[in-house]
Structure formats: C-alpha cells, structure tokens
Amino acid sequence: MEKSEKKIVEYQLHKNVILGGFNDRMDIFWKFCDVNLFLSLNDGFGLPIVEGYMHGVPCVTFEDLDATQDLYYPEAMLKVKDRSNESVTDTLKTALDKIGNMKRLLK
C-alpha cells in the first residue's frame, strides 16, 4: 500500500477519496467529485485539469506546474502557492468552502 493510501485509511477518508490513477473509466467518477486535487510533482500536460474543466469540477493544483500556468482560469482553479502540507491544506479548505457556499446558494 502506498503512503497516500495509508493516510486515506488512517484518516478514515476511504468513503470520500477516489484515487483514479490512469484508467479509461474516469468519466464515471467525475460526477461524484467536488474538487480535483491534482498534486502532481511533475506534469507538463495538465490532462487531469482539462478533464476536470470538462466535467465542471474545480481543480486545486501547484502553482509552479507548467500546465497550471497554461490552463489557469480563476473560476475553475485554485493554485497552491508552495508545496508545503500547510499550503495544500489551506488551499483545499478554501476550495471546499467555495463549493459549499455555491451549493447552498443553488438550493
């Protein structure tokens, strides 16, 4: 089991987190997603960002990825300023707060 999978189990997030990896059935999962947490260490193409856009799912990703700079759209992406756990956590909380506010407004 990888480190990220162990943390998901440790924090009892297994009912709320999908680790899709590379597969050809991701379109099924997008309808269950509130946010696309794309924390790649090195990705130049940004395919997960584009897929999220296509399904209306906002993305949280590192500011220093080439794809982030190329695809940035403020209504659909929140940029993590640095690669610290604190910055990731703060940006994810901001994203979830915005999503929660939008859902309340739409009711």
Side-chain angles (χ1 to χ4, degrees):
M1 188 179 296
E2 289 190 35
K3 186 177 178 179
S4 57
E5 292 172 291
K6 288 179 183 177
K7 289 293 183 184
I8 290 168
V9 171
E10 178 184 342
Y11 294 119
Q12 299 178 358
L13 299 171
H14 55 280
K15 292 183 180 180
N16 299 340
V17 175
I18 298 170
L19 297 176
F22 180 80
N23 68 73
D24 59 0
R25 308 270 322 202
M26 278 304 294
D27 57 316
I28 295 169
F29 297 107
W30 285 111
K31 64 183 173 184
F32 299 107
C33 294
D34 290 322
V35 67
N36 175 14
L37 185 59
F38 181 55
L39 302 177
S40 175
L41 297 176
N42 183 1
D43 181 85
F45 297 110
L47 187 56
I49 298 169
V50 173
E51 288 176 321
Y53 284 174
M54 290 172 38
H55 294 277
V57 178
C59 185
V60 170
T61 191
F62 292 123
E63 180 177 66
D64 62 355
L65 291 178
D66 290 341
T68 302
Q69 296 167 18
D70 294 338
L71 298 171
Y72 181 68
Y73 186 69
E75 287 79 15
M77 184 186 293
L78 282 91
K79 298 188 286 187
V80 179
K81 300 291 182 196
D82 61 62
R83 291 176 180 260
S84 70
N85 289 340
E86 183 178 338
S87 290
V88 170
T89 302
D90 290 346
T91 307
L92 180 58
K93 284 179 183 177
T94 299
L96 293 172
D97 286 345
K98 285 184 175 186
I99 291 164
N101 289 337
M102 279 193 301
K103 285 183 177 181
R104 283 190 290 280
L105 288 172
L106 294 174
K107 284 185 180 184

